[in-house]
Amino acid sequence: MINYLNDLIHNNREWVFTLAKIAGVLGILMPMIAYSVLAERKISAFIQDRVGPNRVALPLLGGIPILGPFLTRLGLWQPLADGLKSFLKEDFTPAHVRKVYFWLAPAIALVPAFMTMAVIPFGSFLGTEKMVLADLNVGILYTFGIVSLGVYGIVLAGYAANSKYPFLGGIRSSAQMISYEIAMGMSVIPVFMLVGDLNLSKVIEYQSAGFSSWLIFKQPIAFAIFLVAAFAETNRLPFDLPESETELVGGYHTEYSSMKFALFFMGEYAAMIAGSAMMVTLFFGGWTLPLFGLNEIPQADAPIWYGIAHIVIFLAKILVLMAIFIWVRWMLPRFRYDQLMDLGWRRFIPLALLNIVITAVVLFLTVK
């Protein structure tokens, strides 16, 4: 049996390690989504001077003296209760909806966020394996192509609900996401003009010299546009106009419940994590850290702790940006729709164009 397994791994090494990396990415991503929801509830409670989730306890662990009540007060088990509730709640489909599209929309909204993670380098090497699922030479083009698919799930949900509020939410979302995708795409052009390569691993390599080489310091305008566009692309406050409860009840969410609603919810948080991972890669040095020699590009036979440290650094940077996403939601009011479109078309797109021109002129004058 052991010989059979050894032969299987040896003969299909690439497939085995790719499947192992996919399992590892999903094994980290799914708990991150669940506990991002808990972090959002805890941070919002802190901002509003409330306690937040602190009641759910597991039958055995909750009874352990000191540790059990401590973990319960942290709300550590709340995501388990939320997930169980979504699975067990009645899956209700209203009679007036267009059923095939109604069932298909939540999956279409969730999948693109997961697929984006395929080209983002989340570490250097573990053993001889490079810590990226697909090290594409056109990684950024793949990312924007996949991200643009996310809008179809929301538009389809608005259409399938066969009701005016979800339909208006779907229309708003499509206009908003298409508008800000242009600004977002133009904002990263100066980054790749500096790097000279569309491969995301090369972007990290370019920033590995030290803090001063991080692209947030060389392209602050590009980062500001990308960050605001990421809020609009993920429908987060102050740009959550496709949902806006006070105007559209819940927008495209209105007719959904149980696990279908949970898929939309998971898609939103997965998109936030993917957006944060992309910002870490493009502007914050990716998995490198210019301390203790952790910014050096390792060889394939580097010690395994070195590779683990790079993955931890990458995740820590993502968590910081996720905290900013959550903090902004609970601190800023919602924009009006005309203000949102004005900001995208009349402010960000000209600013991104100007940034491209300035970067091109500087490169022309300085690069020999």
Side-chain angles (χ1 to χ4, degrees):
M1 185 66 182
I2 293 175
N3 290 335
Y4 172 75
L5 288 174
N6 283 335
D7 290 341
L8 183 69
I9 293 172
H10 182 73
N11 295 331
N12 303 279
R13 190 175 183 280
E14 189 175 344
W15 280 100
V16 169
F17 281 102
T18 300
L19 290 174
K21 283 191 279 189
I22 292 172
V25 169
L26 291 178
I28 293 174
L29 187 59
M30 295 302 283
M32 280 184 75
I33 292 171
Y35 281 92
S36 295
V37 179
L38 175 64
E40 173 121 36
R41 296 175 69 176
K42 279 289 186 183
I43 292 173
S44 66
F46 174 76
I47 291 172
Q48 297 172 344
D49 199 19
R50 296 185 286 109
V51 178
N54 69 341
R55 288 288 184 274
V56 177
L58 291 186
L60 296 177
L61 289 174
I64 298 174
I66 302 176
L67 180 65
F70 174 70
L71 295 178
T72 301
R73 281 198 299 275
L74 289 179
L76 206 65
W77 316 119
Q78 185 67 40
L80 299 177
D82 292 342
L84 200 61
K85 176 186 169 186
S86 297
F87 274 111
L88 298 180
K89 199 172 180 180
E90 181 187 3
D91 187 18
F92 180 72
T93 302
H96 62 273
V97 302
R98 298 176 174 92
K99 291 187 174 52
V100 174
Y101 302 129
F102 188 78
W103 294 331
L104 199 59
I108 295 178
L110 175 67
V111 170
F114 280 79
M115 291 177 69
T116 305
M117 302 300 293
V119 294
I120 298 178
F122 53 90
S124 53
F125 286 93
L126 273 185
T128 57
E129 283 299 314
K130 199 169 186 179
M131 290 296 101
V132 57
L133 296 179
D135 195 19
L136 299 183
N137 288 332
V138 288
I140 192 67
L141 297 181
Y142 166 88
T143 302
F144 277 96
I146 293 297
V147 165
S148 64
L149 297 178
V151 70
Y152 290 107
I154 296 174
V155 171
L156 210 57
Y159 168 73
N162 203 16
S163 169
K164 62 182 176 183
Y165 288 135
F167 184 71
L168 286 171
I171 295 295
R172 276 189 177 187
S173 179
S174 58
Q176 174 177 325
M177 291 177 78
I178 291 169
S179 303
Y180 277 84
E181 199 165 309
I182 296 171
M184 179 183 267
M186 291 173 69
S187 73
V188 300
I189 290 175
V191 169
F192 292 97
M193 289 167 69
L194 290 177
V195 175
D197 202 305
L198 293 176
N199 187 308
L200 295 175
S201 296
K202 296 291 183 186
V203 177
I204 294 174
E205 199 174 317
Y206 177 87
Q207 300 174 84
S208 63
F211 284 116
S212 60
S213 64
W214 285 12
L215 286 163
I216 186 176
F217 300 117
K218 295 185 176 181
Q219 287 293 334
I221 296 174
F223 172 69
I225 295 173
F226 193 97
L227 178 65
V228 175
F231 276 93
E233 288 282 306
T234 52
N235 295 325
R236 295 281 297 181
L237 261 173
F239 304 133
D240 69 333
L241 291 150
E243 303 167 26
S244 60
E245 295 85 354
T246 50
E247 300 171 30
L248 301 179
V249 187
Y252 58 91
H253 287 157
T254 306
E255 305 290 357
Y256 284 94
S257 62
S258 67
M259 202 56 211
K260 293 194 191 78
F261 177 78
L263 289 178
F264 278 118
F265 213 59
M266 290 168 64
E268 179 179 326
Y269 282 88
M272 287 165 57
I273 292 170
S276 300
M278 188 55 71
M279 281 188 278
V280 167
T281 303
L282 294 177
F283 298 103
F284 293 95
W287 41 261
T288 66
L289 185 69
L291 295 172
F292 312 113
L294 290 169
N295 59 327
E296 296 173 6
I297 306 297
Q299 300 299 317
D301 57 350
I304 198 163
W305 68 265
Y306 206 69
I308 293 173
H310 284 151
I311 294 174
V312 172
I313 290 166
F314 187 75
L315 292 175
K317 290 178 181 178
I318 289 177
L319 293 181
V320 172
L321 289 172
M322 286 292 290
I324 293 173
F325 263 106
I326 294 170
W327 179 81
V328 168
R329 178 183 176 184
W330 297 96
M331 295 300 288
L332 296 183
R334 179 181 297 128
F335 275 45
R336 287 200 322 263
Y337 196 67
D338 62 304
Q339 292 173 329
L340 171 80
M341 300 307 280
D342 183 77
L343 183 68
W345 286 101
R346 297 181 59 194
R347 302 290 188 277
F348 279 174
I349 291 180
L351 189 61
L353 270 173
L354 182 65
N355 195 31
I356 292 171
V357 172
I358 292 173
T359 306
V361 170
V362 171
L363 285 175
F364 177 75
L365 295 176
T366 56
V367 176
K368 295 181 181 178

